[in-house]
């Protein structure tokens, strides 16, 4: 089952994002190698600067998705103001469809 993690950064935490990015990318690569990552990238503000993340993962259920989301180095660093976890149905442009 797919889940979308819609993460919104705390205000004025861009430096936390930049400092934590290398370990965040390592984590994304590790869950990708496990077949748990479908897509990911930053969401941007009006100035084109990162202000959150959208990560689509594979998990058995919402609890497993939340447990995986909690492992994100960005989450551990306290970057996110909110993290919404929603079931996701990838209909258009899904390379596996």
């Amino acid at each position: 089952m797919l889940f979308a993690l819609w993460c919104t950064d705390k205000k004025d935490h861009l430096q936390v994002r930049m400092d934590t990015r290398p370990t965040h990318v390592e984590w994304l690569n590790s869950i990708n190698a496990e077949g748990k990552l479908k897509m990911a990238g930053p969401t941007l503000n009006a100035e084109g600067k990162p202000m959150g993340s959208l990560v689509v993962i594979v998990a058995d259920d919402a609890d497993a998705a939340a447990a995986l989301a909690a492992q994100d180095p960005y989450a551990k660093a306290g970057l996110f103001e909110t993290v919404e976890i929603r079931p996701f149905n990838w209909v258009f442009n899904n390379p596996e469809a």
Side-chain angles (χ1 to χ4, degrees):
M1 181 172 207
L2 295 179
F3 290 87
L5 312 177
W6 188 266
C7 311
T8 303
D9 294 359
K10 293 176 182 172
K11 292 188 189 294
D12 301 319
H13 274 62
L14 182 57
Q15 193 59 52
V16 172
R17 173 176 280 275
M18 301 315 292
D19 291 345
T20 311
R21 187 174 188 281
T23 55
H24 170 73
V25 171
E26 286 176 20
W27 175 75
L28 289 173
N29 284 328
S30 73
I31 67 168
N32 186 51
E34 296 170 3
K36 295 179 182 177
L37 178 66
K38 290 300 179 182
M39 59 183 269
T43 57
L44 307 175
N45 65 17
E47 292 80 38
K49 294 186 180 180
M51 50 96 45
S53 298
L54 174 60
V55 181
V56 178
I57 60 169
V58 176
D60 290 335
D61 54 36
D63 289 338
L68 189 59
Q71 296 174 12
D72 185 340
Y74 281 165
K76 290 181 177 183
L79 175 63
F80 299 135
E81 180 71 31
T82 61
V83 176
E84 295 181 48
I85 301 171
R86 297 181 184 177
F88 182 71
N89 183 16
W90 193 353
V91 177
F92 292 97
N93 296 321
N94 181 342
E96 296 174 6

